[in-house]
Amino acid sequence: MSTTGPTLSSEYASPSPLQVRIDTHAHHSERHDDPMTAVVEALELTGTESVADIGCGDARFLAHLAGHRHRGRLTGVDNSAAMVAAAAAVPGVEGVLAAAEALPFGENEFDRTTARHMLYHVPDPEQALREFRRITRPGGLVVVTVNHAGTCARSRQLVIDRAAEHGLAPAAGMVNDMNSTTLPPMMGEVFGDVQIARFDNALAFDNAAPLIRFAEALFSFCGVDTDSPHRTAILDAVTADIRAWFGNHPGETWRDPKGYIVATATVQ
């Protein structure tokens, strides 16, 4: 079975799949959940701190801070040029192209460092954590979020099963074993004491259309690249599977468990 095809770079070359995933979690979570607010609360901001958001994606988190009149320095770091461009386009936000394991900043340069749902994609997450500690001043906070193991596994498996029929499988390095179980001890090694807030939830779909959109937004993680010659056939098969499920389960909800932790460490 082939594992060639999508890479982390190709997945984040465009913000569109990320936007679909964010919208899905915002509108189809079983219980109301606001990861952005959870991180903001953990950061204990007064409005003047310098903040580095590592793996900033489309910079919506930093845009949120800027929109709420945060006056301190706001820096978004990503290894995708498209995402860095999105960050730089936000007024008051600096976009920096860099890898998490080798950040181009001096020691103690930031008051707060965040890394939200990105350590899964880092080849050496412990080195990244050491970089977060290095760039954060003593007394400053590092806030990291990761999902539970198996988050949204049911939706992902739909795509993986159909991709496998065409010899495709998730590419090595797209997702490592970093999750809500493995992160706390690693952060403990790097920072010492770590505070953990746990959030358990599920995606819940009462009709096929939003689940189909979400499944397609997972394609790259499941081995299906944007220009794959099999993409249309796989999407058609996944669409048929989803519609068949709802047809066979009238009035039922498709439920896919998920969750994450917010881990906070004070730099000593």
Side-chain angles (χ1 to χ4, degrees):
M1 183 176 292
S2 173
T3 57
T4 61
T7 63
L8 182 60
S9 296
S10 67
E11 163 58 23
Y12 290 101
S14 165
S16 297
L18 174 62
Q19 182 66 54
V20 171
R21 294 194 296 272
I22 289 171
D23 289 345
T24 300
H25 287 286
H27 298 295
H28 297 281
S29 289
E30 194 168 63
R31 292 181 298 279
H32 175 72
D33 187 25
D34 187 351
M36 186 179 298
T37 295
V39 172
V40 170
E41 291 177 350
L43 287 171
E44 300 179 356
L45 297 171
T46 66
T48 61
E49 295 86 358
S50 55
V51 179
D53 188 26
I54 314 302
C56 64
D58 62 4
R60 67 182 55 227
F61 178 75
L62 295 175
H64 171 82
L65 296 184
H68 284 74
R69 301 182 183 276
H70 188 89
R71 301 179 302 282
R73 176 187 178 189
L74 297 174
T75 302
V77 180
D78 209 285
N79 64 358
S80 162
M83 297 303 174
V84 170
V90 178
V93 173
E94 168 193 20
V96 176
L97 184 67
E101 302 99 322
L103 297 171
F105 306 117
E107 294 184 5
N108 310 330
E109 192 165 332
F110 292 93
D111 300 309
R112 304 286 189 269
T113 299
T114 63
R116 300 166 303 103
H117 299 290
M118 54 77 67
L119 278 180
Y120 327 107
H121 312 303
V122 176
D124 189 346
E126 184 171 349
Q127 173 59 23
L129 291 173
R130 295 189 185 283
E131 279 290 90
F132 302 165
R133 185 188 65 184
R134 181 184 67 80
I135 69 170
T136 307
R137 67 167 176 79
L141 299 177
V142 174
V143 177
V144 180
T145 63
V146 294
N147 287 331
H148 300 338
T151 281
C152 299
R154 188 180 184 190
S155 304
R156 189 187 300 266
Q157 197 62 48
L158 275 175
V159 182
I160 289 174
D161 289 346
R162 288 302 189 173
E165 297 173 355
H166 298 271
L168 303 177
M174 286 291 282
V175 180
N176 61 31
D177 64 353
M178 188 55 51
N179 57 57
S180 60
T181 299
T182 58
L183 175 65
M186 183 178 291
M187 285 191 69
E189 287 291 323
V190 174
F191 294 99
D193 186 46
V194 180
Q195 303 299 313
I196 303 295
R198 181 182 176 98
F199 300 84
D200 300 315
N201 209 331
L203 287 178
F205 301 95
D206 60 8
N207 67 90
L211 177 54
I212 292 168
R213 287 194 296 272
F214 181 63
E216 185 177 11
L218 298 175
F219 270 25
S220 285
F221 293 119
C222 301
V224 188
D225 206 352
T226 304
D227 58 357
S228 169
H230 308 297
R231 186 180 181 91
T232 298
I234 293 169
L235 179 59
D236 288 346
V238 169
T239 298
D241 289 341
I242 292 171
R243 288 177 175 164
W245 189 91
F246 281 98
N248 293 327
H249 299 81
E252 295 187 31
T253 297
W254 171 284
R255 187 175 183 274
D256 203 352
K258 65 170 184 167
Y260 63 95
I261 61 170
V262 178
T264 304
T266 301
V267 176
Q268 303 300 319

